[in-house]
Amino acid sequence: MTHTELAAMPVAERIRLMETLWESLDSEDAVTAAVPDWHREVLAVRGDLLDRNEEASSTLEEAKQRIRNLVGKR
């Protein structure tokens, strides 16, 4: 399907098509295929570091405050 064909579809139909596409990606096979091996390895190493408390981490609130501070400095 081309961009022109998609653009010609009614919005409601495009939304249904998009929902169907997302649902098709909501499976373990799709997730596994979407994450390259090198990324899995990085995540495994980071997870191990976190488990051993050797990786810096923040609570969600701490992270939000850091972002607010950065944005406020502009």
Side-chain angles (χ1 to χ4, degrees):
M1 184 169 281
T2 67
H3 181 271
T4 304
E5 292 169 324
L6 284 171
M9 293 170 63
V11 172
E13 191 173 342
R14 285 186 276 165
I15 291 172
R16 278 193 300 277
L17 181 60
M18 185 174 58
E19 289 171 343
T20 301
L21 179 60
W22 274 113
E23 287 171 7
S24 75
L25 293 173
D26 189 28
S27 71
E28 187 63 32
D29 292 338
V31 171
T32 301
V35 179
D37 289 338
W38 68 266
H39 195 194
R40 269 195 250 317
E41 292 169 14
V42 169
L43 292 173
V45 168
R46 299 273 317 267
D48 290 342
L49 290 172
L50 281 169
D51 290 344
R52 295 192 311 262
N53 292 322
E54 296 176 8
E55 179 78 311
S57 62
S58 305
T59 65
L60 179 57
E61 287 307 314
E62 291 168 337
K64 286 180 182 179
Q65 189 58 52
R66 273 198 318 277
I67 292 167
R68 285 185 194 108
N69 292 342
L70 287 172
V71 171
K73 291 180 180 179
R74 290 184 181 178

